[in-house]
Amino acid sequence: MGAPPGTSRSKRGHFLRAALPCLATALGSAPAAAQSLTPDLFNPNRGGFAAPDTLPTRRTAGVPQAPLDALPALPDPNADPRKRQQAPATSRVGQVPTYGLPAANGASGSGYDSLNRKRQQPKLYPGQPKPKRPVGPGSPVPPATPDRTLGPPRIAPPPSETAHKVPVPPAMAGNVPGQPLRRRLKVDDDAFGAVGDYAGSFLIKGGLELSAGYDTNPARLNKPVGSPAYVVAPDLLVMSDWERHALVADLRGSFSGYTNNMPATIDGFASPSPVEIDRPDFTGHVDGRLDVDRDFKLTSQLRLRVATDNPGSPNVQAGLQKYPIYASYGGTFGFDQTFNRFQVAAGATVDRTAYTDSKLTDGSTFSNNDRDFNQYGGIGRFSYDLKPGLKPFVEIEGDSRVHDQPADRNGYFRDSSGGYAKVGSSFEFSRILIGEISVGYTARNYVDPRLSQLAGFLTAGSLIWNASGLTTVKFATDTQIAESTVPGSSGVLVHTYGIEVDHDFRRWLTAVGKFTYGTYDYQNQNRNDKTYSLEGNLIYKLNRNIWIKGTLRHDILNSNQPGSSSQGTVMLVGVRLQN
């Protein structure tokens, strides 16, 4: 079978296209000739096969050179276009082009200048800051950025940090020539926090809160009796700014006043609440540290607590005119020694608790000397820096309580000895979760055999979780063994748990929510009290010196004893002044 017609024509077309160029080359080429032998053929240098003066493209004297600025001649319209295309172009061999520009003309004022001429200084507007010189050899090392060791981490900086800001005057920035160096302030993460004042090498911050509102049950009675209320709360913080050693004083107090008095009798019996229910509250401590060397330090603390019994407590006498005030003061003196990663801290403690006499509604007084006692003890803490951010520890404490009077008002000998042991760890995970938490066991034995041992599970700790740049969650727990005047009761085992959430809607508007849960276990009395407290605060910060604060709190006391439970709601609006 033969090939189709289309295939034969395609084969013939390919043959003709290949044969025609070969035929044209054979007919139009000149006779072949051998290459002549010249000395350049044996030249070993690169490009020496043909000398430049023997090249056919060399420039000769008979070929005139057209000037550089000459215009090309216009083509002749009558000439044959095929001949015009075959005319050879003007040779450019050996010609160095020049463009009429001097050397380094394009360097301007910022580029590289091969002539090393003096640069022209830029013209600045009046008041415009001079540009900084570029960093080069011999320039001083820029200062390192200081570490942010104070305050919460900046997880999400506010947009105002990257916004346009008015330039700081040179006099305030401290870069005026000849100006003495200014004290560099520490990083302040709170744009509306108190700045404080320096007195020598001490930084002093003070504040005063004034609030007024209403309390539906200030005495925490089973049948509520309300009263308008006001609160005055001053605070003072003094910190040293030394390279070595340290001294810190933190003093905080408050006075809660009520315009109405409580009834002296309820249902024909003396009221469990005083008639005047005004209560002071003060907590202060002064901490000192003496750096003997890098690894050995002497530590000390002086503390003071002034308060009254809590409203609704069974320790409050019936028929009182006002609450008796007690003061607990003392100190701790010890040392802190570091052995590489192992750290030992120990100290001796001395404390005293004293009560004022009780004033009754009939005008008489009742002595509270049986509640006064001295406490002597010691505490030791052993910790190991396991890795950065994780430091487990073991803490042991022991003390002895000696009362001014051997027997109390009910004939019980309340001198005792006890202590606690706990194990825990302090940690810091990327500044997001910091704090410490521990668990252990506490116990106290009394001289009087009628008073059984008071013991229980112990929890203590404080955690801060920076959930975001706007939200912070705090958790705290504590366990204490408190004295009691209830007949037959060894004491009170108190457990307290609290959680607080702070959220910044704006840098000047903050909401704070708190929840506190506590248990009061009266040993050998079959009495158990549970307290619940839910509190909300809204803070509007006008500036660094004035804040406006609103508080709403609801307290619940739930007791298994009949007639001892109570509830109350507190509403306060106030202002905070600080510096």
Side-chain angles (χ1 to χ4, degrees):
M1 181 181 292
T7 305
S8 300
R9 286 194 297 268
S10 177
K11 291 182 179 179
R12 288 195 297 269
H14 286 304
F15 175 78
L16 292 177
R17 283 195 296 270
L20 287 177
C22 297
L23 181 60
T25 303
L27 294 177
S29 62
Q35 184 178 4
S36 60
L37 183 62
T38 62
D40 297 329
L41 296 177
F42 303 97
N43 189 353
N45 298 327
R46 178 176 295 182
F49 182 78
D53 54 353
T54 61
L55 292 176
T57 57
R58 68 185 184 279
R59 181 182 176 185
T60 59
V63 179
Q65 182 180 0
L68 297 176
D69 55 351
L71 297 176
L74 297 177
D76 186 3
N78 299 325
D80 188 359
R82 291 177 297 178
K83 294 182 179 181
R84 185 172 66 250
Q85 293 178 357
Q86 296 177 359
T90 306
S91 176
R92 295 180 293 175
V93 176
Q95 300 180 13
V96 178
T98 58
Y99 302 99
L101 298 176
N105 183 70
S108 183
S110 59
Y112 174 73
D113 189 354
S114 60
L115 300 181
N116 196 23
R117 295 173 298 185
K118 185 178 180 180
R119 298 182 181 274
Q120 296 181 358
Q121 298 298 330
K123 296 182 180 180
L124 304 177
Y125 294 100
Q128 181 180 358
K130 295 182 180 180
K132 297 181 180 180
R133 293 185 177 181
V135 179
S139 301
V141 180
T145 303
D147 297 334
R148 306 169 68 94
T149 58
L150 297 178
R154 306 301 300 275
I155 301 176
S160 58
E161 286 197 357
T162 58
H164 175 70
K165 298 180 180 180
V166 179
V168 180
M172 294 295 296
N175 54 11
V176 175
Q179 181 182 9
L181 297 178
R182 296 172 56 88
R183 178 190 293 269
R184 185 175 296 276
L185 300 178
K186 295 182 180 179
V187 178
D188 188 2
D189 294 327
D190 189 357
F192 292 90
V195 178
D197 295 318
Y198 272 95
S201 59
F202 289 91
L203 177 61
I204 303 175
K205 295 183 179 181
L208 176 63
E209 290 190 17
L210 303 174
S211 304
Y214 191 82
D215 192 338
T216 61
N217 190 8
R220 299 301 183 261
L221 299 174
N222 185 256
K223 295 180 179 180
V225 178
S227 172
Y230 63 91
V231 179
V232 180
D235 60 83
L236 178 65
L237 179 63
V238 181
M239 298 180 296
S240 63
D241 190 7
W242 303 333
E243 294 182 0
R244 297 183 57 198
H245 319 304
L247 183 63
V248 178
D250 189 357
L251 311 176
R252 302 176 184 274
S254 66
F255 180 83
S256 301
Y258 302 90
T259 59
N260 295 345
N261 293 334
M262 299 295 105
T265 59
I266 297 179
D267 297 334
F269 297 94
S271 173
S273 167
V275 176
E276 301 176 8
I277 54 176
D278 298 343
R279 295 185 294 115
D281 194 322
F282 176 83
T283 302
H285 60 89
V286 179
D287 300 330
R289 190 190 75 240
L290 181 63
D291 300 338
V292 179
D293 56 27
R294 187 188 65 175
D295 299 327
F296 183 73
K297 304 175 180 62
L298 298 178
T299 59
S300 63
Q301 183 187 71
L302 300 177
R303 50 186 172 268
L304 173 63
R305 176 88 164 97
V306 178
T308 64
D309 292 325
N310 294 326
S313 171
N315 294 331
V316 179
Q317 297 174 260
L320 289 176
Q321 180 65 27
K322 60 182 179 180
Y323 287 107
I325 301 174
Y326 75 86
S328 179
Y329 51 92
T332 301
F333 308 92
F335 68 91
D336 191 336
Q337 176 68 52
T338 302
F339 304 95
N340 198 359
R341 292 189 177 186
F342 186 68
Q343 184 177 4
V344 179
T349 61
V350 179
D351 293 276
R352 174 167 177 79
T353 301
Y355 283 79
T356 61
D357 294 341
S358 299
K359 184 178 179 180
L360 305 180
T361 55
D362 58 2
S364 61
T365 59
F366 184 85
S367 176
N368 290 314
N369 292 339
D370 59 334
R371 303 184 67 181
D372 301 344
F373 65 91
N374 298 326
Q375 178 174 307
Y376 311 95
I379 184 172
R381 179 170 177 146
F382 310 91
S383 58
Y384 183 77
D385 196 355
L386 187 61
K387 63 180 182 178
L390 185 61
K391 193 174 185 178
F393 66 86
V394 175
E395 184 173 319
I396 302 175
E397 189 267 350
D399 62 74
S400 177
R401 296 178 180 178
V402 180
H403 288 73
D404 292 357
Q405 295 182 3
D408 66 357
R409 65 195 64 182
N410 298 309
Y412 289 90
F413 298 93
R414 293 196 172 274
D415 290 349
S416 62
S417 60
Y420 65 82
K422 61 182 180 180
V423 58
S425 176
S426 60
F427 42 81
E428 178 180 345
F429 299 129
S430 302
R431 301 292 298 176
I432 296 179
L433 181 63
I434 60 177
E436 73 173 40
I437 191 168
S438 60
V439 295
Y441 189 79
T442 181
R444 179 163 295 278
N445 298 314
Y446 293 86
V447 175
D448 198 321
R450 294 172 295 177
L451 301 177
S452 62
Q453 183 189 54
L454 179 58
F457 182 70
L458 179 149
T459 60
S462 176
L463 302 177
I464 300 177
W465 174 38
N466 295 283
S468 67
L470 302 176
T471 306
T472 303
V473 181
K474 301 177 183 179
F475 174 78
T477 178
D478 190 20
T479 303
Q480 294 181 354
I481 292 182
E483 295 288 321
S484 175
T485 61
V486 178
S489 176
S490 303
V492 188
L493 184 62
V494 183
H495 289 91
T496 306
Y497 309 90
I499 186 171
E500 176 182 331
V501 180
D502 300 355
H503 181 74
D504 294 335
F505 297 103
R506 294 292 186 270
R507 303 181 72 180
W508 42 266
L509 185 62
T510 303
V512 181
K514 300 179 183 179
F515 176 76
T516 304
Y517 170 73
T519 60
Y520 295 79
D521 183 11
Y522 293 84
Q523 189 77 12
N524 298 331
Q525 284 298 309
N526 194 26
R527 172 166 180 165
N528 296 306
D529 294 350
K530 297 181 180 180
T531 60
Y532 308 88
S533 179
L534 184 61
E535 179 179 347
N537 297 275
L538 187 63
I539 304 175
Y540 177 69
K541 305 174 183 179
L542 294 176
N543 49 47
R544 286 184 178 269
N545 304 114
I546 303 176
W547 294 3
I548 298 177
K549 180 179 179 181
T551 301
L552 178 62
R553 187 178 77 246
H554 185 70
D555 300 332
I556 300 175
L557 173 60
N558 187 7
S559 177
N560 61 353
Q561 297 294 326
S564 298
S565 301
S566 63
Q567 295 188 19
T569 303
V570 182
M571 297 165 286
L572 296 173
V573 177
V575 60
R576 175 176 174 81
L577 309 176
Q578 64 183 14
N579 183 28

